[in-house]
Amino acid sequence: METAEFVAILDQEGRLLAAAAEEAGTGAKVPTCPGWQVTDLLRHTGMVHRWAAEFVAEGHTSYHPDAGQPDLDGAELLDWFREGHGQLVDTLRSASPDVQCWHFLPAPSPLAFWARRQAHETAVHRMDAESARGGAPSGIAGDFAVDGIDELLLGFHARAKSKVRTEEPRILRVRATDTDGAVWTVRLSQEPPAVERSEAGEADCEVAGPVAQLYLSLWNRLPFPSVTGDASVAELWRDTSGVTWS
């Protein structure tokens, strides 16, 4: 996917998130994020949007901490979220393709990284806001969901900080049932997961289903559509794969 596509998705997802949050009310509980209310969701995602925009706008070439979360609620918080989301979209759309700044996963360029990362960040949290609102969630395009699984498995969990580890080697297969070639083999061990985009070797456990559902399941927002083989491997993923802000 191209950078412009990610920015367009980021724009749409942020608008949907804000609309769902407004409809739910900032005091509503977020079922997909136990312990959170919509207030927490808006404060967190809005902080991340501003944090990301600053790297691109200011050209920071080393890590900079975020500016923290505001003590806002209700309509003021929604306005603050929408402002920061709009600033991020505008920053990414107007940035030079060769802008140099810090980023934390491999990417064709820093701009490509931030557009992709913030599109997925916002899409997952849009799902959170819609879970608080209730009703049918908005859809997720298949190619975007495939890319999101790639980012999570080949990016986030390739890092040393991944906590998905096993004493004995195990293999988890991830299979999209509605997308040709969307199969991942996740080799688990005492080291960070080793992932390849193929069907390689016999799997101890396979999780399968429509790619949009798998995307959200791997981010621990939905149950796995289907689990075959040793279900404890899927449970291990559930228990240890969470990506937290730190």
Side-chain angles (χ1 to χ4, degrees), residues 84-147:
H85 170 250
Q87 289 173 351
L88 174 60
V89 170
D90 290 346
T91 295
L92 294 173
R93 280 187 171 150
S94 62
S96 170
D98 60 359
V99 63
Q100 295 301 305
C101 61
W102 179 85
H103 57 293
F104 60 87
L105 294 178
S109 70
L111 182 61
F113 165 81
W114 284 112
R116 180 198 202 193
R117 175 80 292 275
Q118 291 308 301
H120 288 296
E121 175 85 11
T122 308
V124 171
H125 286 315
R126 181 267 298 168
M127 170 67 179
D128 295 329
E130 291 182 342
S131 78
R133 179 200 64 194
S138 305
I140 295 173
D143 58 345
F144 181 68
V146 169
D147 181 82

Side-chain angles (χ1 to χ4, degrees), residues 215-229:
Y215 169 62
L216 293 171
S217 298
L218 289 164
W219 274 106
N220 294 321
R221 262 50 183 196
L222 293 174
F224 286 117
S226 170
V227 178
T228 55

Side-chain angles (χ1 to χ4, degrees), residues 40-216:
D40 302 297
L41 179 63
L42 289 171
R43 289 174 178 173
H44 167 77
T45 313
M47 173 272 291
V48 172
H49 285 169
R50 284 168 165 76
W51 176 75
E54 185 177 344
F55 283 105
V56 178
E58 302 297 330
H60 294 308
T61 55
S62 60
Y63 173 81
H64 277 235
D66 64 85
Q69 299 183 15
D71 185 20
L72 298 174
D73 202 350
E76 286 185 316
L77 178 58
L78 279 158
D79 288 345
W80 176 85
F81 173 84
R82 287 183 167 117
E83 179 185 27
H85 170 250
Q87 289 173 351
L88 174 60
V89 170
D90 290 346
T91 295
L92 294 173
R93 280 187 171 150
S94 62
S96 170
D98 60 359
V99 63
Q100 295 301 305
C101 61
W102 179 85
H103 57 293
F104 60 87
L105 294 178
S109 70
L111 182 61
F113 165 81
W114 284 112
R116 180 198 202 193
R117 175 80 292 275
Q118 291 308 301
H120 288 296
E121 175 85 11
T122 308
V124 171
H125 286 315
R126 181 267 298 168
M127 170 67 179
D128 295 329
E130 291 182 342
S131 78
R133 179 200 64 194
S138 305
I140 295 173
D143 58 345
F144 181 68
V146 169
D147 181 82
I149 295 174
D150 273 340
E151 186 203 39
L152 181 62
L153 298 183
L154 296 163
F156 277 99
H157 286 289
R159 302 184 299 170
K161 63 173 60 178
S162 176
K163 296 179 181 178
V164 186
R165 311 290 178 103
T166 57
E167 289 296 322
E168 299 296 330
R170 311 302 297 278
I171 296 179
L172 172 67
R173 184 100 67 226
V174 177
R175 184 187 306 277
T177 55
D178 59 349
T179 306
D180 290 342
V183 181
W184 294 261
T185 298
V186 185
R187 299 182 184 278
L188 305 175
S189 68
Q190 296 181 38
E191 300 298 322
V195 182
E196 54 187 291
R197 180 80 173 275
S198 69
E199 185 168 355
E202 293 294 324
D204 297 290
C205 175
E206 178 170 302
V207 295
V211 70
Q213 289 181 251
L214 279 180
Y215 169 62
L216 293 171

